[in-house]
Amino acid sequence: MKVVNLKQAILQAWKERWSDYQWAINMKKFFPKGATWDILNLAEALLEQAMIGPSPNPLILSYLKYAISSQMVSYSSVLSAISKFDDFSRDLCVQALLDIMDMFCDRLSCHGKAEECIGLCRALLSALHWLLRCTAASAERLQEGLEAGTPAAGEKQLAMCLQRLEKTLGSTKNRALLHIAKLEEASSWTAIEHSLLKLGEILANLSNPQLRSQAEQCGTLIRSIPMMLAVHSEQPNKTGFPTVHALVLLEGTMNLTGETQPLVEQLMMVKRMQHIPTPLFVLEIWKACLVGLIESPEGTEELKWTAFTFLKIPQVLVKLKKYSHGDKDFTEDVNCAFEFLLKLTPLLDKADQRCNCDFTDFLLQECRKQGLLSEASVNNLMTKRAADREHAPQQKSGENANIQPNPGLILRAEPTVTNILKCSSGLDFLSCPQTMDADHSKSPEGLLGVLGHMLSGKSLDLLLAAAAATGKLKSFARKFINLNEFTTHGSEESTKSASVRALLFDISFLMLCHVAQTYGSEVILSESSTGAEVPFFETWIQTCMPEEGKILNPDHPCFRPDSTKVESLVALLNNSSEMKLVQMNWHEACLSISAAILEILNAWENGVLAFESIQKITDNIKGKVCSLAVCAVAWLVAHVRMLGLDEREKSLQMIRQLAGPLYSENTLQFYNERVVIMSSILEHMCADVLQQTATQIKFPSTGMDTMPYWNLLPPKRPIKEVLTDIFAKVLEKGWVDSRSIHIFDTLLHMGGVYWFCNNLIKELLKETRKEHTLRAVELLYSIFYLDMQQVTLVLLGHILPGLLTDSSKWHSLMDPPGTALAKLAVWCALSSYSSHKGQASSHQKKRHREDIEDYISLFPLDDMQPSKLMRLLSSNEEDANILSSPADRSMSSSLSASQLHTVNMRDPLNRVLANLFLLISSILGSRTAGPHTQFVQWFMEECVDCLEQGSRGSILQFMPFTTVSELVKVSAMSSPKVVLAITDLSLPLGRQVAAKAIAAL
């Protein structure tokens, strides 16, 4: 008989009662090679014929079972065929189908093309939906049976359904395939959720507790499928977290003016990557604030730390609260953190002593105001602390009993700043009652009184610290820039109004210089807007003011103004007994003073002027307005740098003359206050040049160290020794202090990013004890935040490729240092990638970039050019799997999700990440195994460990899709969860790659 179709062949087999293996042989004769059995829908045809009657046809079912066992038909075609059966009233047919599912539901696999693997995912999803419907129908039948008094049959079928559900869902591999199917077919998943709800309602009335419990377990497993990549990490069994501590110290010491959002994101990333519980996380933040405040040098630094602790950190916690799952939970966590903090009695006693107040009281009240603690919690905590304070050392002595505590002053300064800013620009802030008496509110004299008061004591530093900690310093400085601009020139003025204008110009100029030196010139400069006239002070600070890392050219045109103005200024300084004030254009005088000083210096050096004349001139410069002396010294500092050792004497002598105060009765108001701030400005300006020339100049003392973190490096010691020593001390201690942070920053500035990073990585690779390497990683990661972007580029673009491609260095990648380096590399990569769209911190912007290679030339955009990395790879690869140039590899071997997402590959970090993952891919595919292969495994494991649910558009998007199949060959990485984690499931191609890898496991 000639068979015309599949149905006829099956019917003939049934009529002639062929055995299963006879049927298989004859089928292969009837249907020669070409079309596969799945294309012919063999499984569906067999089931259709087997399920015609009220009970299944056992012979045809045996053919189907044989086809499944001999892999004639794929699992996906069988599952699809089963899920099309919907007459659940035929018990025997349903049970037969459940028996067939039992053959393979916990060992599904597919070794075909990616499309076939995606087909398996979809078929499994359909089968799950069918099982849920079948279970619901069985449960309904059971209820009907109970009512009719015949429960046994229904109960047996329900137990069978639940057993198959449990068996199917118990496999992690199946759940991973369902996870992919859910993303492929969102509507089908919605149907499953509806079926699950319906089943829950039916089973709620079920009297059998065992079946109900089994059903609940299955429901839990189904609901867990979308959350398969959620982090379920073990809580660490430790209480100290050096990274959080160092990050908070770094921010408080070097970046008070920075926005809170980047800090919040950095802290959240550390919390997630290190799996820190919230109460211990908040506790570590408070501990770092306490330590920073206690060890801060007296003066400005102490005020900055006070503002950071009481104004900025509560705001940071308010933002962290939004990341937590609920307000109530977070307030409980903050309360728990304070409970822990109260146990650190010696630390709190020390803070009370330093701040001359009940530190905890101020902190708790501030947290209550921000909604971080409830009233009851605050009262409870304050009672506990009060009991502890009774046993503390005596807090107040006769000397400091009357000194107002800094926390109280800072908290009062903050509303004053807000009030000043509420007023419109220019002089209108006089009308604010907090700044001065209403009687003088509209007169320059009244304003002068306010500014004079601000100069006295530590008022200015208090206001600046409060403004910096609350993100208002830029607006605050803008007020003074507007005032300075307003007072640069005057017309038709009396002697009195001229002196008031001179003082307003001088005080605002000195205040702005002080702000720039304390918080960085970035807070002074306005956003560049085309067409707008740049205020005088902004021009001066950009071109004329010496700063860390800025070398000025004394012959720059900015120091060479109109010669007639210079001549008249020289004549005025030389001939007058004192500086004239009426109709003086102060901005012109400030810009002309440099050229005037050059003329005076030349005259002095050539014997035209005697030392007495120089004294008279310098007295004239500093006698009325201190800002002229500041401008003169700014130029002299740039000038001295350019002179030979034997030519510097007279310039340095002139700086010395300008630095000392004028002892005369004929000075303007607030002279002593202005001299104090001028001395501080000059000391900062001259510090570099005085160190280079081994000169000492005594500046009028304010009674405290104005430059506490200056000149920390020991003289005559190689900086590499200093770096290794300071790192060893920090590692031994287990945490970084403010002084160490400044030393690391200086070394980074001096040695450059590559030198700094390379030497610290060498120190890490020397460690042989696991606990030391883990501590070193936490500390290094926080130290690298000094310039995370550039350090990451060097680490991933230079250091790691160098270690991985040089077989002589592979031994250094052994465990534990190798594991630690992999962890550090992933942490840096994730931190930089998550933040590199944002702005660099102010302390990072100052860094020179000349030691960083041009990443475009290192990793060229044009794939036809062999990159440096690829040449490195090919030089160490025995088999020529053509790594010398990306052009020689097929497109598919390097295709990654980032290319499909059209990520900007001109960005250096993106290029470095893409090339690093190409290198990882080549190592996994090469025939040589060793510590470098193990390192790659650790690196990928750490990537998976640090992943957050839904964040697959992270660094792993740069990994070529082909790497997935190579990775699953590594035993530690051959798990369905790992495959889901490392592939970008938002892309159809990503889902295909994942399905293929998982189905083959």
Side-chain angles (χ1 to χ4, degrees):
M1 172 187 170
K2 189 181 177 187
V3 177
V4 280
N5 63 25
L6 202 57
K7 186 177 175 182
Q8 284 179 342
I10 295 165
L11 286 172
Q12 184 185 350
W14 174 69
K15 282 176 188 172
E16 296 178 11
R17 297 294 186 272
W18 294 344
S19 65
D20 49 13
Y21 68 90
Q22 267 182 317
W23 169 80
I25 292 166
N26 290 332
M27 287 296 280
K28 284 171 186 172
K29 285 179 188 170
F30 292 150
F31 298 91
K33 282 183 181 177
T36 64
W37 297 114
D38 278 2
I39 290 173
L40 294 169
N41 283 333
L42 176 61
E44 194 176 328
L46 285 167
L47 269 183
E48 198 179 304
Q49 293 304 312
M51 299 294 165
I52 286 172
S55 63
N57 183 318
L59 185 62
I60 295 177
L61 274 186
S62 74
Y63 298 158
L64 177 59
K65 288 175 182 176
Y66 187 87
I68 293 167
S69 302
S70 60
Q71 295 185 353
M72 279 175 75
V73 290
S74 67
Y75 294 132
S76 57
S77 65
V78 178
L79 289 171
S80 297
I82 289 172
S83 58
K84 286 176 184 170
F85 182 85
D86 56 2
D87 187 358
F88 297 118
S89 61
R90 290 192 280 166
D91 291 356
L92 295 171
C93 289
V94 169
Q95 286 169 22
L97 292 175
L98 289 170
D99 284 339
I100 288 170
M101 278 192 82
D102 201 36
M103 289 173 66
F104 59 83
C105 68
D106 59 342
R107 52 184 181 84
L108 295 175
S109 64
C110 177
H111 297 277
K113 293 177 182 174
E115 293 80 6
E116 293 169 26
C117 299
I118 284 285
L120 176 61
C121 296
R122 287 180 170 146
L124 183 58
L125 192 67
S126 304
L128 176 64
H129 190 205
W130 181 83
L131 271 173
L132 286 170
R133 283 162 51 223
C134 185
T135 309
S138 304
E140 283 175 340
R141 292 277 303 281
L142 174 60
Q143 276 188 324
E144 288 165 11
L146 284 169
E147 286 161 15
T150 54
E155 195 165 295
K156 182 190 172 190
Q157 190 165 310
L158 178 60
M160 280 180 77
C161 288
L162 288 172
Q163 198 181 350
R164 301 308 176 274
L165 260 176
E166 205 168 33
K167 196 171 179 181
T168 304
L169 294 165
S171 156
T172 310
K173 179 177 173 177
N174 286 359
R175 293 202 304 278
L177 293 172
L178 287 165
H179 185 89
I180 295 167
K182 171 196 169 287
L183 297 170
E184 280 284 317
E185 296 185 357
S187 56
S188 302
W189 185 258
T190 310
I192 281 177
E193 286 175 327
H194 286 314
S195 298
L196 196 58
L197 283 171
K198 184 185 171 188
L199 181 62
E201 287 165 12
I202 296 167
L203 293 174
N205 306 317
L206 200 65
S207 58
N208 187 325
Q210 190 183 348
L211 289 177
R212 199 166 61 235
S213 158
Q214 212 174 351
E216 282 169 6
Q217 269 182 323
C218 292
T220 306
L221 283 170
I222 292 170
R223 280 186 284 272
S224 75
I225 288 167
M227 304 300 292
M228 273 192 84
L229 293 181
V231 177
H232 300 294
S233 56
E234 292 297 311
Q235 299 290 14
N237 53 356
K238 59 175 189 171
T239 53
F241 302 95
T243 306
V244 177
H245 190 99
L247 204 53
V248 173
L249 271 177
L250 176 67
E251 196 76 9
T253 306
M254 305 187 80
N255 198 26
L256 180 61
T257 54
E259 291 179 21
T260 53
Q261 191 56 36
L263 174 61
V264 169
E265 285 167 10
Q266 286 168 8
L267 286 167
M268 279 308 296
M269 176 154 278
V270 173
K271 180 182 188 293
R272 196 180 72 245
M273 291 195 301
Q274 298 186 11
H275 314 302
I276 307 173
T278 307
L280 294 180
F281 175 63
V282 176
L283 171 67
E284 198 63 50
I285 292 173
W286 288 131
K287 272 163 65 179
C289 289
L290 277 158
V291 171
L293 188 55
I294 290 164
E295 68 176 19
S296 61
E298 199 181 334
T300 310
E301 287 298 316
E302 187 184 351
L303 293 179
K304 282 162 79 171
W305 263 107
T306 310
F308 180 74
T309 304
F310 289 92
L311 296 176
K312 190 167 185 176
I313 288 297
Q315 289 302 321
V316 167
L317 291 177
V318 167
K319 290 197 173 183
L320 285 170
K321 185 178 180 178
K322 292 173 187 170
Y323 284 82
S324 74
H325 298 299
D327 285 4
K328 192 180 176 191
D329 291 346
F330 193 76
T331 50
E332 282 172 12
D333 287 335
V334 173
N335 182 50
C336 185
F338 271 108
E339 292 277 6
F340 289 141
L341 188 65
L342 291 187
K343 291 174 183 169
L344 305 175
T345 314
L347 190 66
L348 291 173
D349 289 348
K350 191 88 176 162
D352 287 358
Q353 223 167 352
R354 181 68 202 265
C355 298
N356 192 30
C357 65
D358 185 348
F359 176 90
T360 318
D361 183 19
F362 276 105
L363 205 52
L364 290 170
Q365 294 299 350
E366 202 54 31
C367 288
R368 183 184 53 75
K369 275 188 224 165
Q370 300 295 343
L372 295 167
L373 283 171
S374 66
E375 190 75 49
S377 298
V378 169
N379 293 337
N380 176 39
L381 292 164
M382 281 168 68
T383 308
K384 286 183 179 177
R385 178 59 188 150
D388 278 349
R389 286 190 91 222
E390 285 176 16
H391 308 293
Q394 193 61 35
Q395 296 297 322
K396 291 189 177 183
S397 65
E399 295 170 18
N400 62 11
N402 300 319
I403 299 172
Q404 286 189 295
N406 283 337
L409 293 171
I410 281 285
L411 292 170
R412 284 208 298 280
E414 194 269 328
T416 308
V417 171
T418 309
N419 278 306
I420 289 172
L421 294 178
K422 272 181 189 169
C423 308
S424 60
S425 62
L427 301 177
D428 293 352
F429 72 76
L430 302 173
S431 57
C432 299
Q434 274 80 357
T435 57
M436 58 162 298
D437 295 325
D439 299 343
H440 306 108
S441 65
K442 295 295 177 188
S443 66
E445 289 88 345
L447 174 57
L448 187 57
V450 172
L451 295 182
H453 173 69
M454 281 172 71
L455 280 182
S456 63
K458 52 186 178 186
S459 303
L460 177 61
D461 281 329
L462 277 166
L463 288 170
L464 294 179
T470 50
K472 296 168 185 165
L473 187 59
K474 205 171 181 78
S475 311
F476 196 67
R478 186 62 28 197
K479 292 279 183 189
F480 291 103
I481 285 177
N482 293 339
L483 172 61
N484 184 263
E485 192 68 11
F486 177 80
T487 54
T488 49
H489 44 262
S491 55
E492 298 180 12
E493 58 186 354
S494 64
T495 310
K496 186 182 178 187
S497 60
S499 67
V500 170
R501 183 172 65 85
L503 279 167
L504 289 174
F505 174 85
D506 198 39
I507 291 171
S508 57
F509 187 96
L510 293 171
M511 282 181 171
L512 288 165
C513 284
H514 180 64
V515 170
Q517 286 183 337
T518 312
Y519 296 100
S521 53
E522 294 83 13
V523 295
I524 300 290
L525 304 175
S526 56
E527 307 300 324
S528 54
S529 54
T530 50
E533 193 178 336
V534 181
F536 153 72
F537 188 81
E538 279 193 47
T539 309
W540 182 83
I541 200 168
Q542 281 179 293
T543 52
C544 308
M545 182 170 169
E547 283 184 284
E548 182 194 353
K550 184 165 94 179
I551 306 299
L552 298 174
N553 173 12
D555 300 322
H556 189 277
C558 72
F559 292 122
R560 297 283 172 271
D562 183 4
S563 57
T564 53
K565 289 175 183 171
V566 174
E567 283 168 19
S568 61
L569 182 60
V570 170
L572 182 68
L573 293 170
N574 193 24
N575 301 330
S576 308
S577 57
E578 62 178 55
M579 196 77 181
K580 76 155 192 167
L581 304 174
V582 179
Q583 292 184 7
M584 185 71 168
N585 292 341
W586 291 111
H587 63 304
E588 288 178 3
C590 285
L591 291 171
S592 305
I593 192 77
S594 51
I597 289 287
L598 178 61
E599 295 288 329
I600 292 160
L601 258 179
N602 287 338
W604 186 17
E605 282 171 351
N606 292 317
V608 178
L609 287 175
F611 181 64
E612 290 72 22
S613 305
I614 298 299
Q615 275 184 312
K616 179 187 152 191
I617 290 167
T618 53
D619 285 351
N620 270 341
I621 292 172
K622 67 189 178 186
K624 297 291 184 187
V625 289
C626 298
S627 42
L628 274 185
V630 171
C631 294
V633 172
W635 178 81
L636 281 165
V637 164
H639 181 63
V640 169
R641 281 180 186 276
M642 303 299 167
L643 298 176
L645 199 61
D646 53 343
E647 301 169 315
R648 294 171 173 172
E649 190 188 336
K650 283 190 165 55
S651 300
L652 290 168
Q653 211 167 342
M654 192 170 272
I655 292 175
R656 195 175 279 110
Q657 287 296 317
L658 289 165
L662 178 67
Y663 298 103
S664 164
E665 292 176 7
N666 197 19
T667 52
L668 296 177
Q669 264 179 293
F670 309 115
Y671 186 68
N672 291 338
E673 289 87 347
R674 285 183 292 132
V675 163
V676 167
I677 197 167
M678 177 188 82
S679 299
S680 166
I681 293 163
L682 296 186
E683 192 174 351
H684 276 84
M685 272 187 184
C686 300
D688 269 336
V689 83
L690 293 181
Q691 187 186 33
Q692 287 162 13
T693 57
T695 309
Q696 286 193 327
I697 292 179
K698 184 149 177 59
F699 294 93
S701 174
T702 55
M704 59 188 73
D705 188 356
T706 53
M707 298 180 65
Y709 294 118
W710 169 250
N711 200 15
L712 292 173
L713 299 187
K716 297 179 182 175
R717 272 195 79 192
I719 55 172
K720 186 178 175 183
E721 274 183 30
V722 178
L723 182 66
T724 52
D725 277 8
I726 192 74
F727 181 65
K729 282 174 187 168
V730 161
L731 189 59
E732 191 182 347
K733 243 190 334 188
W735 54 280
V736 186
D737 55 51
S738 301
R739 190 173 179 279
S740 305
I741 286 173
H742 278 273
I743 294 174
F744 281 123
D745 189 54
T746 310
L747 291 167
L748 173 57
H749 194 69
M750 289 176 78
V753 184
Y754 178 81
W755 173 88
F756 184 78
C757 183
N758 191 37
N759 281 304
L760 284 174
I761 295 299
K762 282 178 185 173
E763 292 305 304
L764 171 64
L765 294 176
K766 284 178 193 172
E767 291 299 331
T768 52
R769 289 177 59 184
K770 191 173 182 179
E771 60 272 27
H772 276 197
T773 56
L774 288 173
R775 190 194 294 173
V777 165
E778 292 183 338
L779 291 168
L780 281 176
Y781 174 59
S782 56
I783 292 162
F784 286 170
Y785 262 107
L786 285 166
D787 202 343
M788 183 58 85
Q789 291 291 324
Q790 297 300 319
V791 166
T792 305
L793 288 176
V794 162
L795 179 59
L796 305 185
H798 291 264
I799 294 169
L800 278 191
L803 288 167
L804 291 171
T805 54
D806 185 348
S807 55
S808 66
K809 293 177 182 172
W810 287 351
H811 68 278
S812 63
L813 296 175
M814 303 282 275
D815 191 37
T819 324
L821 179 58
K823 191 183 281 284
L824 179 63
V826 171
W827 288 1
C828 290
L830 286 171
S831 300
S832 291
Y833 189 76
S834 68
S835 67
H836 83 304
K837 300 286 185 287
Q839 294 299 307
S841 306
S842 57
H843 66 268
Q844 292 177 9
K845 287 178 185 169
K846 294 176 189 171
R847 189 93 50 232
H848 289 302
R849 303 286 185 227
E850 60 265 15
D851 57 329
I852 298 289
E853 263 195 75
D854 177 5
Y855 283 87
I856 298 294
S857 64
L858 179 64
F859 305 123
L861 269 172
D862 180 6
D863 269 359
M864 299 309 288
Q865 294 171 269
S867 75
K868 186 174 177 181
L869 176 63
M870 285 303 151
R871 288 198 300 276
L872 273 171
L873 286 174
S874 59
S875 66
N876 281 297
E877 198 57 58
E878 297 167 14
D879 61 336
N881 59 347
I882 328 291
L883 287 165
S884 56
S885 142
D888 296 327
R889 299 186 313 271
S890 65
M891 182 58 186
S892 60
S893 72
S894 61
L895 181 67
S896 67
S898 62
Q899 286 161 282
L900 299 177
H901 285 308
T902 59
V903 168
N904 173 21
M905 292 311 287
R906 288 189 177 275
D907 182 279
L909 183 62
N910 293 348
R911 299 187 68 75
V912 164
L913 284 166
N915 278 273
L916 179 65
F917 278 107
L918 275 177
L919 170 56
I920 283 172
S921 185
S922 76
I923 287 171
L924 287 168
S926 75
R927 290 202 297 260
T928 312
H932 64 310
T933 324
Q934 185 71 58
F935 177 86
V936 165
Q937 181 192 317
W938 292 325
F939 184 90
M940 296 306 298
E941 282 174 355
E942 191 59 34
C943 283
V944 173
D945 191 45
C946 291
L947 271 181
E948 185 183 22
Q949 173 71 12
S951 72
R952 286 181 297 283
S954 185
I955 62 170
L956 285 170
Q957 68 178 315
F958 295 98
M959 182 181 72
F961 286 120
T962 49
T963 311
V964 178
S965 57
E966 295 293 342
L967 261 178
V968 292
K969 293 173 188 174
V970 180
S971 59
M973 304 297 284
S974 60
S975 87
K977 279 191 178 181
V978 168
V979 175
L980 289 181
I982 62 177
T983 23
D984 190 335
L985 300 176
S986 65
L987 294 168
L989 182 55
R991 294 195 288 273
Q992 285 179 21
V993 168
K996 193 173 189 312
I998 292 168
L1001 287 174

